[in-house]
Amino acid sequence: MNPSAFDRVASECARGTGGALAHSERMKSETLRKTVAGVLGGAAALTLVVLLVPGWGDGGGGSPREAAGRALSAAAAGAPAAADDLAALIAEHERRVRESPGDDRAWARLGAAYVERGVGSGETALFPKAERALRRSLALRAPDRGNAAALVGLGALANARNDFGAAREFGERARALRPGSWAVYPVLVDAYGGLGDPEAAGRAVDALRGLASGPQVEGRHAQAFRDRGLREDAAVLAHDARVHATTRAERAAARHRQGELAWEHGEYAEAVAHYEAALEADPGAHRSLGGRARSLAALGRTEEARQDYARVLERRPLPGYALEWGELEESLGERDRARSLFGRMRELVARGRRDGVDGDVVLARYEADHGAPEAAVHRLRDQWRRGHRSAEVADALGWALYRAGSPEEAVPFASRAAGQDAGGALFSYHRGVIALALGERGEARRHLVEALRRGPEFSPLRAPRARAALSAVAEPEPGGPKDLYGDGPDPIDEPEPSDEDGADGDGREDGADGDGANEGREDGAEEDGREDGSGEDGAEEDGREDGAEEDGREDGAEER
């Protein structure tokens, strides 16, 4: 994550005073700002704010200010354990708006605090309250009168709800009012990222770097590099953010980002170490619980992974965690447990939808792999029409089309996702399986090797399938390469033609019998009537195994 909605809104509220802060207050605010963490990268924009607002804490001595500092520091790392402090901050602003209902700045701060708490804790029911507070602020002071703070808050809320088009609109309106304010750019980074426009997101990162500095901005820059597939550069910046961190929350955030990068490199033990360091720095960094659970599962430490998944679902109930845990159980043959967790995932998506959160991408990923690929295609096409064209959506749509029986139509989407290099092993695996379904053995081999190189255990369900699919294309086609360099036969080595050797009467060379186009479908195609997870990617209906042809050949051998 990045500087929070609350931080950005309060920053804009401070600008709205016309620069009336005394020098001592500016110095105090800057000192306090530096004590609050900026989380590295993420879908929602939430971290620093109220401490920048002139007059924050008036009438309450140091306690409200201290509570706000603790709450924001923890929220910077997505820590609902610090919700008591954030609750104190919210209670203070609820009191303020009751006493002064015409205070547009207090309404904007309150709305941003609701967003902050909702993202950190998974309490999506706070999002409608946030929207009401932010729109109340706009009703009291319109944007054309300088209320950029409420626009920034609404942009952060839209990102939290995965409504990236609306987030872009709010962010651009705020930028038009305050082009020199750092507060608007994290909203734009997330919005353009969700819309699949990495160039515009990169420009927003560059603008942010020109206006602000510190570990939170280094983390933003690291995320931008990671999204472009430049993981080595991202790792350097993430390390710099960790070195420059001065607070516990900053250290937790930096360690979490390093854990994410280690996971994507297939360095699972190192990822666990980073996540544990994040949790040691901030025990409320619940997203690091989710990362550690995933990494422990990859290391085969199943019981520990289960414990972490249980904790994170209790403390930060997001549908993605339920889906991950369910697939772990499915990979272990625990189908009843898996089915229960998939049901929990659906419940969480439905709950979020009631609060304005779009969970269709998570739901479509589940449907594509667990028996309803046509429904997944429908959901993801709708996302695409709305302009949500990130690498994640492109990959999900390509995979759903393949699972629905349209591998040719899947190729442009899967290629777009794999080409952006943002999804690591999963995107490469999907692209390889689609190529295999189309008989493109070399292309399939390349992507499958890349997937397993990046993440040997990238998924408890899919990594074994990737190895099985690769084994089907591991050997070159019989007869060897026909033209190694693509420039025709070498005249020096070309034998003289004779009546005894050469091509068959129909001109085909050895092994070119033309029936390999459909070999090696990914560990089998769909079967009708499967239950949740049962028979997924299983054998063909006629019983063929490991891509064998209908005539009983195994391991994709060519018919001679």
Side-chain angles (χ1 to χ4, degrees):
M1 291 185 194
N2 48 287
S4 73
F6 213 7
D7 189 15
R8 298 193 299 273
V9 169
S11 175
E12 281 305 314
C13 288
R15 291 175 61 91
T17 64
L21 270 175
H23 176 72
S24 61
E25 280 298 315
R26 289 199 302 271
M27 294 300 293
K28 184 188 299 182
S29 294
E30 178 65 14
T31 300
L32 287 167
R33 183 187 68 80
K34 289 181 178 178
T35 68
V36 184
V39 177
L40 311 183
L46 302 165
T47 310
L48 298 159
V49 242
V50 163
L51 307 179
L52 298 178
V53 179
W56 160 245
D58 289 354
S63 295
R65 194 185 294 268
E66 290 171 3
R70 291 193 303 269
L72 290 169
S73 179
D84 288 346
D85 289 336
L86 190 55
L89 184 150
I90 289 172
E92 169 68 11
H93 275 73
E94 288 175 337
R95 178 188 63 78
R96 284 191 175 204
V97 297
R98 283 195 301 270
E99 294 175 354
S100 303
D103 187 343
D104 63 273
R105 296 186 183 91
W107 281 108
R109 296 170 195 146
L110 178 59
Y114 284 145
V115 176
E116 180 104 19
R117 184 172 177 179
V119 170
S121 66
E123 294 178 71
T124 58
L126 290 169
F127 291 162
K129 296 178 69 173
E131 182 171 6
R132 287 192 293 271
L134 292 163
R135 292 197 180 279
R136 176 64 173 161
S137 176
L138 282 178
L140 291 166
R141 184 162 63 101
D144 58 9
R145 294 172 55 202
N147 193 357
L151 293 176
V152 169
L154 286 167
L157 175 61
N159 278 324
R161 286 169 155 173
N162 299 322
D163 187 355
F164 303 112
R168 175 183 58 187
E169 180 182 349
F170 287 124
E172 291 293 1
R173 289 173 65 189
R175 174 156 61 176
L177 289 173
R178 301 278 191 237
S181 172
W182 65 267
V184 306
Y185 292 98
V187 170
L188 291 172
V189 172
D190 285 339
Y192 282 115
L195 294 170
D197 190 343
E199 290 78 15
R203 290 192 295 271
V205 170
D206 290 341
L208 176 62
R209 291 174 61 214
L211 295 166
S213 62
Q216 65 272 14
V217 178
E218 289 169 329
R220 264 286 169 198
H221 202 193
Q223 182 70 18
F225 275 128
R226 179 262 173 198
D227 289 345
R228 292 163 54 195
L230 302 173
R231 287 179 171 77
E232 289 74 15
D233 298 294
V236 170
L237 284 166
H239 174 77
D240 289 347
R242 172 183 163 189
V243 169
H244 297 150
T246 59
T247 69
R248 290 171 62 86
E250 283 177 336
R251 287 192 292 273
R255 285 289 204 158
H256 178 85
R257 170 51 51 205
Q258 289 185 296
E260 295 288 276
L261 291 170
W263 158 261
E264 291 172 0
H265 277 278
E267 298 164 350
Y268 306 123
E270 182 178 341
V272 168
H274 284 304
Y275 291 132
E276 288 179 345
L279 290 163
E280 182 178 355
D282 183 353
H286 299 323
R287 63 195 186 128
S288 292
L289 268 178
R292 188 174 69 179
R294 188 183 310 122
S295 302
L296 289 169
L299 292 169
R301 295 162 62 177
T302 304
E303 288 305 318
E304 294 170 89
R306 283 170 166 160
Q307 291 171 14
D308 276 354
Y309 276 127
R311 292 189 190 103
V312 75
L313 271 176
E314 178 185 355
R315 300 171 189 179
R316 194 171 186 242
L318 298 178
Y321 296 138
L323 178 58
E324 285 182 19
W325 188 6
E327 291 189 339
L328 172 62
E329 297 296 348
E330 184 178 345
S331 74
L332 299 169
E334 298 288 348
R335 296 194 179 277
D336 289 341
R337 282 188 180 182
R339 191 172 293 111
S340 175
L341 286 161
F342 294 149
R344 179 80 187 282
M345 179 271 300
R346 286 182 176 278
E347 290 171 3
L348 291 172
V349 169
R351 187 187 75 173
R353 185 178 291 117
R354 289 193 295 270
D355 298 323
V357 179
D358 182 352
D360 273 0
V361 175
V362 172
L363 189 55
R365 283 201 177 278
Y366 163 76
E367 290 170 335
D369 276 328
H370 299 86
E374 293 83 4
V377 169
H378 177 76
R379 293 182 193 280
L380 293 164
R381 284 196 189 282
D382 183 62
Q383 292 285 319
W384 200 261
R385 282 191 292 269
R386 292 172 58 199
H388 293 183
R389 300 185 177 186
S390 66
E392 181 186 9
V393 174
D395 172 73
L397 179 52
W399 184 246
L401 285 164
Y402 158 74
R403 296 285 293 166
S406 300
E408 296 88 353
E409 194 177 354
V411 169
F413 298 103
S415 296
R416 173 174 173 146
Q420 291 186 30
D421 204 33
L426 180 64
F427 290 7
S428 295
Y429 165 70
H430 285 166
R431 183 66 186 91
V433 170
I434 292 167
L436 190 58
L438 294 171
E440 300 169 352
R441 295 168 62 91
E443 186 79 356
R445 186 183 303 114
R446 179 170 71 86
H447 287 292
L448 292 169
V449 166
E450 179 68 7
L452 292 170
R453 181 189 67 81
R454 289 182 172 185
E457 300 296 337
F458 67 92
S459 162
L461 276 180
R462 296 168 188 83
R465 293 173 188 159
R467 288 188 284 271
L470 182 59
S471 71
V473 292
E475 297 299 326
E477 296 185 53
K482 306 299 185 294
D483 181 5
L484 189 60
Y485 298 104
D487 57 356
D490 190 333
I492 297 175
D493 299 326
E494 185 176 4
E496 292 293 328
S498 70
D499 294 334
E500 296 182 0
D501 71 349
D504 292 333
D506 59 3
R508 287 177 294 158
E509 295 186 16
D510 193 24
D513 54 358
D515 69 345
N518 295 315
E519 287 186 18
R521 282 292 298 269
E522 176 230 3
D523 254 348
E526 314 253 73
E527 284 191 45
D528 293 335
R530 287 174 297 157
E531 295 181 41
D532 280 353
S534 61
E536 179 209 3
D537 283 355
E540 292 282 338
E541 293 183 18
D542 58 7
R544 286 176 286 151
E545 298 181 359
D546 293 329
E549 291 291 312
E550 292 184 10
D551 57 7
R553 287 171 289 144
E554 296 184 358
D555 295 327
E558 298 280 1
E559 181 182 14
R560 304 193 187 279

